Amino acid sequence: MSFRSGVATFAGKSSYWFLHTFLHGGSSLPGKITLKLDPNILRTLGAKYDVIVITGTNGKTLTTALTVSVLHEKYPAILTNPTGSNMEQGIVTTFLNAKNPKTGRPLAVLEVDEANVIKVTQYIEPKAFVFTNIFRDQMDRYGEIYTTYQKILDGVALVPNATIIANGDSPIFHSKELPNPIQYYGFDNEPDGDFKARPNTDGVLCPNCEHILHYHSLTYSNQGKYFCPNCGFSRPELTYRLTKLGEQTPTSSKFEIDGHPFKIQVGGTYNIYNALAAYAVGRFMGVDPEQISDAFNANQQVFGRQEVIDVDGKRVTIILVKNPVGLDQVLHMIGTDTHPFSLVGLLNANYADGIDTSWIWDGDFEQLTNRDIPAVITGGERYKDITFRLKVAGIPDDKHIVEPDLEKVVDRIKEVPTERVYVLATYTAMLQLRKILATKGYIKEGLGV
Amino acid sequence: MTYELNVAHLYGDLMNTYGDVGNILALNYYAKQMDVHLNVNVVSLEEDFKAADYDLAFFGGGQDFEQTIVSQDIQTKKAELTKFIESDGPLLAICGGFQLLGHYYIGADGEKLPGIGALDHYTLAQDHNRFIGNIVIKNQETGETYHGFENHQGRTFLGDGERPLGNVVSGKGNNGEDGTEGAIYKNVYCSYFHGPILTRNGDIAKHLLVAALQRKYPDADFSQQKALPIPATF
């Protein structure tokens, strides 16, 4: 460590101690201070670690958490960054907070924002990357899917020897020739048919000849066993295959990967992709399938995004929604519930939510109408938008309660005719609701994600 | 339903950014209240568009890459689309769809890409800037106020024979210079509004549906449809 790095590290660590001790905070400021003093600090801090970078639109947080628990089966020392700290400053802070490893070479499993991959690879050569998926996100901030992928590749270009472990079902990850070693994971559990993606799906053009892609099988959005009927471009050979899909409920999924049975305590096909990614990293790093299964079984707290809250006898599940593909998957997951349930939709449009609410129209709320939901509540700062969205989706007025005020939404929830209640909320709406629930004593203060 | 309209969703599988599909959902929602059944058909690459087959058309916005591909393919549909427009066919075009009905637009790489020139506007690019944010405009003829969310790099300049959809009250509009937003030509409505435009501005959905009904059923009485109240949704 150079003198400059030493001073910078000390300054960052002290500021973390100060913030953590006196202000109960400190997720990115220490990194900011350290970076000011030594812009190249990541080279020094990261040199001791084998680093795995996890990036993509959806599933970064859960894939990171699952990967950490899988790797813990074999590796005792693993550093990881808390959710929300996936940009340069947060990553520097993560390294600053780490205790000095006593023996051996520790691992760092880092969730990294797509545009910040290059900020990491300028200084650190990762052992592996994981690419989860690239979907239409809040485009007022991030741009189109091809731009987002290019940002990731700009970072990858600096480290041509790092292995890429990518979602093979996503055509964009097969669209560019790369010098890196690549392994793919994907779903291989259906006999071949011939399908097209739903009309309102992103990224369905063949990257090779620009015709519309077809699919032998589709999971959701533009993911599946794709092929181009015009030029023969097709899904690459998979290294890790989901070979069987078993029972799915809102709180559990059973499946087999490479013939090995697994169960995770969380619903949603998207979470099976996350588990598949964690499995792929585990196998790449030499963890046995049995150990991976143990890790999946042992780790229930990583699924915090779907915590169930008891509100005077109602089983309330709050789920964060932030983009159309994620929303569709959540709606599909809720639809696997065999019990009757009520639905709450809370929409805000602050910076953290995405300031453009158009995306709710890309979500397929229409799939709910065959469920005969006895009560639907819409609220939040942009309640008018979400109210009209659900009206158009076919929710009848006599079952639809419009309540902008989140405090009153909690009261209305107590009155719905079902025990189960699913609350779909954007980021700041979720924070506001949790604060109210904490004030009323239904949950402890804190984010819980 | 007493009436039936055939709707072409132009390149619905490629041109579908920022919830633009919500326009189809909104058309359906208001059509039902007008006793009209809609048959919606996606017309995409290498598929024929025949003016005579459709009563209404919707053309949404797309990502840069998809729009480049559509710019080539739409040349094969130029004659029939122009015929549809010139024979008073109602059409709603948003963002990239708006641009492609004009003479040309400048793509993300600075290259000039052709539209079909059915309408007399053209679109330039701006360097490293997009017009992003909430926008409000007012149509001077009807007095109607429209709300939307704009997100575009292109700067469009209207030609002779086109009226703006509205004048900018707040936001940027077509080009950030002349205070216009969108375009109206015959029964064609163009705009940069996402949000989507028809879910927030049901009056435009009503104009399109009524125009399509009157064109298809010239002898029917649509006074009830015209009187359909459109409650504010925004």
Side-chain angles (χ1 to χ4, degrees):
Chain A
M1 191 177 281
S2 70
F3 179 70
R4 185 177 191 180
S5 298
V7 170
T9 305
F10 177 75
K13 277 191 188 263
S14 331
S15 74
Y16 178 80
W17 172 82
F18 177 83
L19 290 163
H20 192 74
T21 308
F22 297 107
L23 301 171
H24 308 290
S27 68
S28 71
L29 188 61
K32 196 171 176 179
I33 292 168
T34 311
L35 277 168
K36 267 270 191 300
L37 294 171
D38 181 1
N40 300 322
I41 189 68
L42 263 183
R43 195 187 310 280
T44 312
L45 293 176
K48 285 178 270 181
Y49 293 82
D50 279 336
V51 175
I52 292 166
V53 166
I54 294 172
T55 192
T57 310
N58 288 349
K60 284 190 287 285
T61 304
L62 189 59
T63 301
T64 302
L66 275 174
T67 301
V68 169
S69 38
V70 163
L71 293 177
H72 259 310
E73 297 286 323
K74 184 170 174 183
Y75 301 88
I78 303 176
L79 178 66
T80 190
N81 50 341
T83 178
S85 301
N86 63 14
M87 306 220 192
E88 189 181 16
Q89 293 170 3
I91 291 162
V92 170
T93 306
T94 300
F95 279 111
L96 284 173
N97 295 348
K99 296 190 185 81
N100 277 332
K102 291 185 189 75
T103 51
R105 197 172 160 75
L107 287 173
V109 179
L110 302 174
E111 163 188 340
V112 180
D113 168 81
E114 298 91 300
N116 279 263
V117 170
I118 194 164
K119 305 263 173 78
V120 173
T121 57
Q122 274 173 335
Y123 307 112
I124 295 174
E125 177 167 359
K127 194 168 175 65
F129 291 100
V130 177
F131 296 169
T132 60
N133 49 59
I134 298 183
F135 294 127
R136 191 183 297 183
D137 206 345
Q138 300 157 25
M139 288 199 287
D140 48 300
R141 259 197 290 174
Y142 285 101
E144 306 180 343
I145 59 170
Y146 308 103
T147 323
T148 305
Y149 186 44
Q150 193 52 53
K151 279 180 185 156
I152 294 176
L153 290 185
D154 290 346
V156 171
L158 303 178
V159 287
N161 296 319
T163 298
I164 295 169
I165 299 170
N167 179 349
D169 288 351
S170 176
I172 200 165
F173 294 141
H174 192 31
S175 64
K176 298 265 171 78
E177 283 286 337
L178 301 172
N180 304 59
I182 304 186
Q183 299 186 342
Y184 289 102
Y185 61 87
F187 276 50
D188 206 8
N189 61 318
E190 300 268 356
D192 281 0
D194 188 349
F195 309 98
K196 278 209 237 177
R198 283 200 308 143
N200 196 40
T201 303
D202 251 1
V204 294
L205 278 176
C206 173
N208 204 25
C209 75
E210 295 153 6
H211 283 66
I212 307 260
L213 289 172
H214 286 223
Y215 291 81
H216 289 308
S217 56
L218 263 166
T219 54
Y220 62 89
S221 186
N222 69 337
Q223 301 183 124
K225 191 176 179 185
Y226 57 83
F227 68 100
C228 175
N230 185 59
C231 76
F233 173 79
S234 64
R235 182 174 78 172
E237 197 64 41
L238 301 178
T239 312
Y240 311 103
R241 296 154 62 242
L242 185 127
T243 40
K244 190 176 172 191
L245 193 55
E247 189 195 18
Q248 289 183 274
T249 77
T251 52
S252 69
S253 303
K254 288 180 183 167
F255 50 88
E256 289 181 12
I257 305 174
D258 298 338
H260 307 289
F262 293 97
K263 183 173 185 188
I264 53 175
Q265 297 300 328
V266 64
T269 308
Y270 60 106
N271 283 320
I272 301 179
Y273 269 107
N274 296 334
L276 188 52
Y279 169 92
V281 180
R283 297 296 292 133
F284 174 73
M285 296 296 289
V287 185
D288 295 336
E290 292 71 26
Q291 292 175 304
I292 296 172
S293 176
D294 290 346
F296 286 172
N297 285 333
N299 246 280
Q300 300 197 10
Q301 71 273 22
V302 301
F303 304 118
R305 285 197 183 199
Q306 284 169 37
E307 157 198 34
V308 178
I309 299 163
D310 185 330
V311 179
D312 294 357
K314 301 294 181 197
R315 286 167 48 92
V316 179
T317 309
I318 305 177
I319 306 172
L320 174 71
V321 291
K322 54 175 188 166
N323 56 32
V325 174
L327 172 61
D328 272 357
Q329 280 300 295
V330 166
L331 293 170
H332 175 261
M333 179 187 72
I334 292 171
T336 63
D337 200 333
T338 50
H339 299 83
F341 59 84
S342 302
L343 180 73
V344 182
L346 306 177
L347 181 66
N348 282 0
N350 297 308
Y351 184 75
D353 306 294
I355 58 170
D356 177 10
T357 61
S358 300
W359 64 276
I360 60 172
W361 293 90
D362 285 321
D364 184 21
F365 283 102
E366 280 69 11
Q367 65 179 288
L368 288 175
T369 45
N370 53 20
R371 273 305 297 257
D372 191 24
I373 301 171
V376 172
I377 303 171
T378 46
E381 292 160 13
R382 295 297 287 269
Y383 70 96
K384 287 183 181 173
D385 283 329
I386 187 66
T387 297
F388 192 59
R389 177 70 193 91
L390 287 166
K391 211 183 253 287
V392 168
I395 302 298
D397 288 351
D398 59 348
K399 292 176 180 167
H400 191 164
I401 301 150
V402 181
E403 183 49 76
D405 182 344
L406 296 192
E407 221 155 320
K408 291 182 187 152
V409 165
V410 175
D411 298 332
R412 296 288 94 75
I413 285 174
K414 294 176 196 167
E415 297 161 11
V416 298
T418 59
E419 186 198 358
R420 294 181 183 216
V421 181
Y422 290 102
V423 179
L424 275 47
T426 58
Y427 190 69
T428 66
M430 184 185 77
L431 294 188
Q432 291 163 3
L433 182 70
R434 288 189 63 90
K435 198 163 182 201
I436 291 164
L437 290 171
T439 309
K440 292 179 186 278
Y442 295 114
I443 51 168
K444 291 202 182 87
E445 196 82 55
L447 187 57
V449 295
Chain B
M1 304 268 172
T2 312
Y3 305 101
E4 196 175 8
L5 293 173
N6 294 326
V7 181
H9 187 181
L10 297 168
Y11 303 97
D13 49 0
L14 298 174
M15 302 289 279
N16 52 28
T17 42
Y18 309 116
D20 279 357
V21 72
N23 292 308
I24 296 283
L25 299 174
L27 281 172
N28 239 321
Y29 176 78
Y30 291 113
K32 268 189 221 158
Q33 298 174 31
M34 294 172 138
D35 197 18
V36 180
H37 176 78
L38 298 186
N39 304 309
V40 181
N41 191 21
V42 173
V43 182
S44 189
L45 300 182
E46 296 170 38
E47 291 169 354
D48 279 344
F49 172 85
K50 288 248 183 349
D53 292 346
Y54 293 100
D55 308 306
L56 188 62
F58 170 63
F59 193 4
Q63 305 189 71
D64 292 331
F65 175 53
E66 277 82 358
Q67 191 173 334
T68 320
I69 308 304
V70 171
S71 158
Q72 296 161 26
D73 185 86
I74 199 172
Q75 303 308 326
T76 67
K77 301 177 176 69
K78 175 176 172 167
E80 286 292 307
L81 277 170
T82 308
K83 191 168 147 191
F84 182 76
I85 291 167
E86 286 302 319
S87 63
D88 297 320
L91 192 164
L92 173 69
I94 301 297
C95 203
F98 174 19
Q99 295 172 355
L100 287 171
L101 293 186
H103 295 295
Y104 63 87
Y105 76 100
I106 306 296
D109 306 333
E111 102 197 89
K112 186 171 168 177
L113 294 156
I116 57 169
L119 273 65
D120 201 20
H121 55 263
Y122 62 94
T123 301
L124 305 178
Q126 43 186 338
D127 279 342
H128 304 291
N129 187 42
R130 292 178 77 86
F131 294 145
I132 301 175
N134 291 303
I135 173 166
V136 180
I137 62 171
K138 186 166 184 180
N139 183 299
Q140 302 298 343
E141 290 162 47
T142 62
E144 287 167 355
T145 297
Y146 304 133
H147 296 263
F149 188 95
E150 61 182 332
N151 186 348
H152 55 110
Q153 200 223 7
R155 292 181 300 133
T156 297
F157 297 87
L158 302 183
D160 294 339
E162 288 180 289
R163 286 127 59 212
L165 178 64
N167 291 98
V168 176
V169 177
S170 64
K172 298 291 185 186
N174 284 338
N175 48 48
E177 293 169 25
D178 64 14
T180 66
E181 202 295 316
I184 299 178
Y185 171 74
K186 291 180 175 269
N187 281 327
V188 180
Y189 290 77
C190 300
S191 177
Y192 273 112
F193 278 25
H194 301 286
I197 189 168
L198 297 186
T199 66
R200 295 208 182 146
N201 308 283
D203 287 313
I204 300 176
K206 188 162 96 172
H207 296 322
L208 286 161
L209 288 165
V210 167
L213 287 168
Q214 286 178 328
R215 183 167 169 268
K216 182 166 189 182
Y217 304 97
D219 301 325
D221 172 20
F222 291 114
S223 48
Q224 269 200 321
Q225 279 78 1
K226 286 184 206 165
L228 179 78
I230 308 280
T233 60
F234 183 72

